[in-house]
């Protein structure tokens, strides 16, 4: 992908601070870290969305993210916890359309957090959850 | 784990709206959804933190999360994108100490978002990123 910045990084045509590189998956520092130590783990094969990602590669991506999580804890940056985050789709906050799993360290008072919309305050009744669960179950069987 | 609510769900001792259940991994509706259709994917074997989770199980967890992501898109809830989120450690926002990967639908104007601390505005110089990358790389080799 000519225009994909992550593909350019993988091809050595764009700069990056690589922490891990192998056949299927690469990890490098996010240039705008939530906190110092923020890593992106990506598949080498271009996949814009989760739906385009081979499941085995996704599984491996997560293995690497687990290892990176522990490594970040041992890398001398402030790290008392870790978040993993993935945005699939523009409305979900995806900005680079090559799948990437964020791994970033957290510490007390770092100011990071989640903002919730108005619906978050309302706990849906069990029957609503059951109904949606049935629909997701049906979709999983398809 | 007697006191773990997710273990209680797995044992059928607490209520849940299950969407997926097999030997290693289970998925059910979050009772306080970011948006309707919010699913938690968990390992069946109790693991408080990512560091306690077997890597193969983690990899499988992500496979299931990928499938659930697509299923949520096809389940008739508002879903124009999906976020995956995992909190590892209390300062990272973890509230139930049994690993769980959030999969939740997103739509335009849902009000969900990320809050960033003051350091987010500052892009670290490349040499800082390179230095941290070296330390993470070294930690990965250990």
């Amino acid at each position: 992908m000519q225009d994909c910045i992550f593909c350019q990084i993988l091809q050595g045509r764009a700069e990056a601070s690589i922490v891990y590189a192998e056949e299927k998956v690469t990890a490098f520092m996010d240039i705008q870290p939530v906190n110092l130590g923020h890593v992106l783990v990506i598949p080498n094969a271009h996949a814009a969305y989760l739906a385009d990602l081979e499941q085995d590669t996704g599984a491996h991506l997560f293995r690497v993210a687990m290892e990176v999580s522990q490594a970040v804890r041992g890398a001398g940056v402030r790290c008392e916890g870790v978040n993993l985050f993935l945005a699939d789709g523009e409305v979900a906050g995806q900005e680079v359309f090559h799948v990437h799993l964020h791994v970033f360290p957290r510490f007390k008072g770092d100011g990071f957090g989640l903002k919730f919309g108005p619906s978050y305050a309302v706990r849906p009744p069990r029957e609503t959850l059951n109904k949606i669960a049935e629909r997701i179950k049906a979709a999983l069987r398809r």
Side-chain angles (χ1 to χ4, degrees), chain A:
Chain A
M1 296 290 287
Q2 286 290 332
D3 299 341
C4 172
I5 180 67
F6 289 172
C7 286
Q8 288 172 14
I9 286 172
L10 293 170
Q11 292 155 9
R13 294 192 293 124
E15 201 179 18
S17 304
I18 307 275
V19 303
Y20 179 86
E22 40 92 324
E23 201 195 332
K24 294 274 187 194
V25 166
T26 299
F28 50 86
M29 306 311 292
D30 194 311
I31 56 167
Q32 187 154 19
V34 166
N35 287 312
L36 281 179
H38 184 158
V39 172
L40 301 178
V41 188
I42 71 167
N44 295 351
H46 183 81
Y49 302 106
L50 273 187
D52 306 317
L53 184 65
E54 226 184 83
Q55 242 185 51
D56 283 351
T57 307
H60 189 52
L61 196 81
F62 197 80
R63 270 177 211 277
V64 173
M66 286 175 74
E67 292 202 13
V68 168
S69 302
Q70 300 318 314
V72 170
R73 287 176 180 271
V77 293
R78 283 192 74 178
C79 184
E80 301 158 7
V82 168
N83 280 133
L84 307 185
F85 182 73
L86 188 147
D88 190 43
E90 197 167 357
V91 301
Q94 188 174 4
E95 286 176 354
V96 175
F97 294 90
H98 181 134
V99 170
H100 50 289
L101 182 56
H102 297 264
V103 179
F104 52 92
R106 298 289 312 281
F107 56 86
K108 206 172 155 108
D110 62 11
F112 180 83
L114 307 180
K115 277 186 302 202
F116 296 105
S119 71
Y120 185 68
V122 187
R123 290 196 177 202
R126 179 58 68 185
E127 62 192 60
T128 302
L129 296 177
N130 285 342
K131 205 186 301 171
I132 297 171
E134 284 308 318
R135 299 206 303 246
I136 295 174
K137 228 191 274 187
L140 279 170
R141 280 192 294 261
R142 280 199 289 270

